[in-house]
Amino acid sequence: MAHAPGLLNPAFFLGRAELLGWINESLGTRVAKVEDTCNGAIACQLMDALHGGCVPMKKVDFNARNEYDMINNYKVLQEAFLKQNVDKYIEVTKLIKGKPLDNIEFMQWFKSYFDSVTNGHAITDYDGPGRRAASKSGDMKQQSAGAAPKLQRMADQTRTAPPAPIVRKSSTTGPPARTIGIAPSKDVDHLATQLGELRTRTSEMEKEKDFYYSKLRDVELLCQTPGLATQFPVLAKVEAILYAATADEGRQILIDTQQEMVGGVFLDEPSST
């Protein structure tokens, strides 16, 4: 099976703009937000671009807006993964909610897989619009195809909202007529609050990611310092853990190294006594 990319794969540190540029250039789309990929259709087409014929595009719905249709797209994607022996678990329930972070992480993984297949080269001979035209509902409509079901329901409610009040001039003298406004809905206020919290969490997580990445990069540079690896063989083992494709593989290298060098396995915090 195709293994997951290593921890230090550059794709895992791409931002929104780089991911969108890669998607739009590869597929000939005009995706404006990474969360617009939440219905799974873009991921299906990326697999189609990489492995021509592995995705039955007639089953892919680029305009899926409800959970049922989105899940069907991810079923098509999972079948394509199985055909190509791609060992990747898809967290469908998270992705279809349209939250930016979950979809960014999935597209970062997809970029790393894409580069592993193409050796980092762009695909220039793929007819993205033509393949989408053959899909279940045709090419992506102007409205964002990745709108999450909850946001779509709110849009429907907005369209059916009562008209604004009409102010009529009073025929009698006295205080002017007052306009009675419509208070913002609780749903809108709640979403605005959630958006603010999400932006804050995203900023904090990006800072934390940069912090840990800088530490990993320092360790990597130390392991690659000329002459040190010959003096300290354990550095080669540390580097092997950094480049392990999976957490299980990295843990096994740790266990084997401990047994080889100190004759035992120490996976917990060492005792001070």
Side-chain angles (χ1 to χ4, degrees):
M1 280 196 168
H3 292 295
L7 179 65
L8 297 184
N9 190 294
F12 286 111
F13 302 96
L14 293 180
R16 295 178 179 85
E18 293 91 346
L19 289 171
L20 289 171
W22 160 65
I23 291 170
N24 291 330
E25 181 180 352
S26 300
L27 304 181
T29 51
R30 298 176 66 181
V31 179
K33 297 181 292 185
V34 178
E35 53 266 38
D36 287 347
T37 66
C38 73
N39 70 5
I42 291 293
C44 286
Q45 191 170 18
L46 287 170
M47 283 297 288
D48 185 67
L50 284 173
H51 310 285
C54 83
V55 177
M57 293 298 288
K58 64 182 181 181
K59 293 184 179 181
V60 179
D61 188 352
F62 279 89
N63 299 292
R65 286 175 172 76
N66 60 63
E67 291 186 4
Y68 177 80
D69 291 335
M70 291 181 180
I71 290 173
N72 280 340
N73 282 344
Y74 281 107
K75 287 180 179 177
V76 174
L77 179 63
Q78 189 65 69
E79 290 174 0
F81 279 0
L82 291 174
K83 287 179 183 177
Q84 299 301 321
N85 294 320
V86 178
D87 185 13
K88 173 64 176 175
Y89 173 71
I90 307 173
E91 296 185 289
V92 178
T93 54
K94 286 186 177 182
L95 294 173
I96 63 176
K97 292 179 182 179
K99 293 184 177 180
L101 247 145
D102 295 324
N103 285 275
I104 287 173
E105 289 178 356
F106 187 52
M107 283 298 112
Q108 287 173 334
W109 174 86
F110 229 116
K111 179 64 165 70
S112 66
Y113 172 69
F114 191 97
D115 287 346
S116 72
V117 174
T118 65
N119 291 322
H121 299 297
I123 294 178
T124 57
D125 57 351
Y126 179 71
D127 182 12
R131 292 293 286 159
R132 287 194 296 279
S135 65
K136 188 174 183 179
S137 59
D139 206 340
M140 300 170 68
K141 302 298 187 290
Q142 187 172 6
Q143 182 179 353
S144 170
K150 182 176 179 180
L151 297 180
Q152 182 63 28
R153 288 196 297 270
M154 289 199 61
D156 293 338
Q157 292 171 1
T158 303
R159 285 194 292 271
T160 58
I166 299 174
V167 181
R168 294 182 175 86
K169 291 183 179 180
S170 174
S171 58
T172 60
T173 58
R178 292 182 301 170
T179 301
I180 301 176
I182 301 176
S185 70
K186 292 182 179 179
D187 283 340
V188 174
D189 288 343
H190 181 60
L191 279 178
T193 301
Q194 284 186 322
L195 180 60
E197 293 174 350
L198 179 61
R199 285 173 175 165
T200 300
R201 288 201 301 271
T202 301
S203 176
E204 291 174 350
M205 292 183 71
E206 286 179 349
K207 290 178 181 177
E208 185 176 5
K209 179 188 72 175
D210 292 341
F211 172 76
Y212 285 112
Y213 174 73
S214 66
K215 286 186 173 294
L216 287 170
R217 180 58 179 157
D218 288 343
V219 173
E220 183 182 39
L221 291 173
L222 179 65
C223 293
Q224 295 174 351
T225 302
L228 279 185
T230 55
Q231 297 181 47
F232 306 99
V234 72
L235 289 180
K237 303 294 186 179
V238 173
E239 188 174 25
I241 292 174
L242 283 177
Y243 292 142
T246 65
D248 289 341
E249 184 180 335
R251 176 55 61 91
Q252 190 58 51
I253 294 172
L254 169 63
I255 292 172
D256 293 344
T257 302
Q258 289 181 335
Q259 288 178 332
E260 176 187 343
M261 294 190 168
V262 296
V265 177
F266 305 90
L267 299 181
D268 298 323
E269 292 278 341
S271 174
S272 59
T273 59

